[in-house]
Each structure stands twice: as C-alpha cells, then as structure tokens.
Amino acid sequence: MLFRPGRIVCTRSVENRRCGDFGFFRFVEESLKRHLTGDWGNLCPDDKELNDEAIAAEQRGETTDPLFSMYHHTDGTEIYIVTEWNRTVTTILFPEEY
C-alpha cells in the first residue's frame, strides 16, 4: 500500500450494484487495490502526474492534494476512487455522482 486510505466508503449506487453483481464486486475490489498501490487507472498522464506529486509531497511530510483514479469495467461502466487530501476517507463512486 502506497498511502493510508482512511475509511473506505462507497456510494449507495455502487454498493447496490456490488451486492447484486459479483463480477462488478470483483472489479471494484481490484480497482481499489490498484488505487492503493498508485496505479491510477484510465487517467490522462497529467492527472497521473498530479497524483504522483501528491504522494511525493506526502512522503516529505508536506500538505498534499486528493488522489483521484478512474477505472473502466469490461461492460463499459466507469468508477472513480477519490482519497481526500488528509487521507481520512476514500470514496468509490460513479462519475455522475462526483
């Protein structure tokens, strides 16, 4: 794990789909593992660099920025994973909920 995620939560919409679709459940779990190891998924290079800079600042003990990841499921569904700047909460949500 590259950073502490704080409390991990997901929106009601994501949770409802996770409970009813095992394939989606596995996708969310794998995406979270990727996020926690610094694999930012389907972001553009500039956004990935912002995350990397935030991690570097955190490792130097400096105030940092939120971490943002985006992942695509094989059925075309996207999810976002956002860890707050102070690393107290990581939220899993659909793009329309952002």
Side-chain angles (χ1 to χ4, degrees), residues 1 57 70:
M1 188 167 22
M70 175 177 54

Side-chain angles (χ1 to χ4, degrees), residues 1-9 18 27-41 43 51-52 54-56 58-59 66-71 79-84 86-92:
M1 188 167 22
L2 187 59
F3 59 92
R4 293 184 182 269
R7 188 174 52 136
I8 299 171
V9 299
R18 280 174 25 120
F27 161 70
V28 170
E29 294 301 306
E30 183 60 32
S31 298
L32 180 60
K33 288 178 189 174
R34 291 173 63 189
H35 178 78
L36 295 175
T37 60
D39 175 351
W40 312 119
L43 294 181
N51 283 344
D52 292 339
I55 292 294
E58 181 177 350
Q59 290 172 344
L67 301 171
F68 179 85
S69 297
M70 175 177 54
Y71 305 96
I79 61 168
Y80 292 169
I81 302 179
V82 182
T83 300
E84 298 301 323
N86 59 5
R87 309 300 184 253
T88 57
V89 177
T90 295
T91 305
I92 304 165

Side-chain angles (χ1 to χ4, degrees), residues 17-28:
R17 176 131 182 229
R18 280 174 25 120
C19 289
D21 180 342
F22 185 68
F24 185 75
F25 176 87
R26 288 188 8 221
F27 161 70
V28 170

